């Protein structure tokens, strides 16, 4: 959480650099591909227009993962934007998660997945925790005018 907050305080240039560095360092882990994230969100929205952010999650691990899934932004948002989902992610069972919200300013959004150790989420609690990274995220910028 802390590093994400720092990320959002950084300027756009630094942000890009940080992301590139992180992409670079995570290359070694690409073989495993524990969490694969795809975001669908409009690039632009009218101020206060309701939009839907769709997050698609997949894993290539044989074991299931307990995922805590949420959004973060560099502006404060109330309501459904803050919903946190806990879900079991298994191979061959991709998940789609949706958030509906009304952006009123241009915002950077991070969709974040934390691999956790919560019980009673995966069947028979047969879930693993990857040893290396246990937080995955993807960033999008949504352009919206101030009202
Ligand atoms: C924008 O939306 C946020 C969260 O919904 C709200 O807290 C804020 O007051 C809004 N800002 C404006 C300028 O409407
Ligand atoms: C949030 O991030 C976006 C995209 O980088 C930027 O355009 C916007 O000015 C930022 N807003 C704040 C309040 O920092």
């Amino acid at each position: 959480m802390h590093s994400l907050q720092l990320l959002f305080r950084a300027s756009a240039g630094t942000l890009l650099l940080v992301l590139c560095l992180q992409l670079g360092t995570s290359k070694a882990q690409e073989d495993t591909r524990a969490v694969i994230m795809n975001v669908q969100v409009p690039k632009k929205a009218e101020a206060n227009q309701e939009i839907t952010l769709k997050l698609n999650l997949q894993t290539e691990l044989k074991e299931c993962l307990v995922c805590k899934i949420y959004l973060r932004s560099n502006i404060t948002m109330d309501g459904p934007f803050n919903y946190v989902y806990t879900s079991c992610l298994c191979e061959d069972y991709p998940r789609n998660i949706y958030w509906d919200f009304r952006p009123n300013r241009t915002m950077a959004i991070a969709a974040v997945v934390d691999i956790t150790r919560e019980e009673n989420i995966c069947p028979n609690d047969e879930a693993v925790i990857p040893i290396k990274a246990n937080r995955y995220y993807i960033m999008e910028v949504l352009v919206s005018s101030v009202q």
Side-chain angles (χ1 to χ4, degrees):
M1 199 63 51
H2 194 63
S3 66
L4 270 183
Q5 278 164 4
L6 286 179
L7 211 60
F8 281 134
R9 266 185 234 126
S11 70
T14 322
L15 196 66
L16 199 61
L17 182 65
V18 169
L19 287 178
C20 290
L21 288 175
Q22 295 198 341
L23 287 178
T25 51
S26 66
K27 263 213 148 51
Q29 298 169 22
E30 257 171 30
D31 301 347
T32 41
R33 304 234 290 171
V35 177
I36 304 159
M37 305 174 78
N38 279 297
V39 171
Q40 277 174 32
V41 67
K43 295 283 173 224
K44 272 190 177 177
E46 302 293 324
N48 286 316
Q49 174 196 357
E50 184 171 275
I51 58 136
T52 300
L53 185 150
K54 174 183 166 184
L55 176 66
N56 175 270
L57 290 181
Q58 297 180 54
T59 182
E60 288 182 349
L61 294 184
K62 295 268 175 275
E63 301 87 351
C64 298
L65 300 167
V66 179
C67 297
K68 203 175 139 202
I69 308 144
Y70 52 93
L71 303 180
R72 282 287 177 268
S73 171
N74 63 340
I75 63 170
T76 307
M77 294 286 292
D78 341 296
F81 186 90
N82 299 298
Y83 287 174
V84 179
Y85 297 89
T86 305
S87 186
C88 182
L89 183 65
C90 300
E91 201 192 18
D92 299 330
Y93 292 94
R95 296 233 167 229
N96 288 322
I97 296 144
Y98 302 86
W99 288 264
D100 294 326
F101 56 95
R102 295 174 188 275
N104 53 15
R105 295 163 71 183
T106 294
M107 59 200 285
I109 304 172
V112 188
V113 174
D114 286 340
I115 310 300
T116 65
R117 199 184 275 274
E118 226 171 295
E119 287 178 6
N120 302 320
I121 305 291
C122 284
N124 307 319
D125 284 329
E126 283 167 2
V128 289
I129 301 195
I131 298 162
K132 286 181 181 167
N134 63 359
R135 170 166 297 163
Y136 298 83
Y137 61 89
I138 186 167
M139 305 267 307
E140 290 288 335
V141 173
L142 176 60
V143 176
S144 182
S145 55
V146 185
Q147 266 198 337

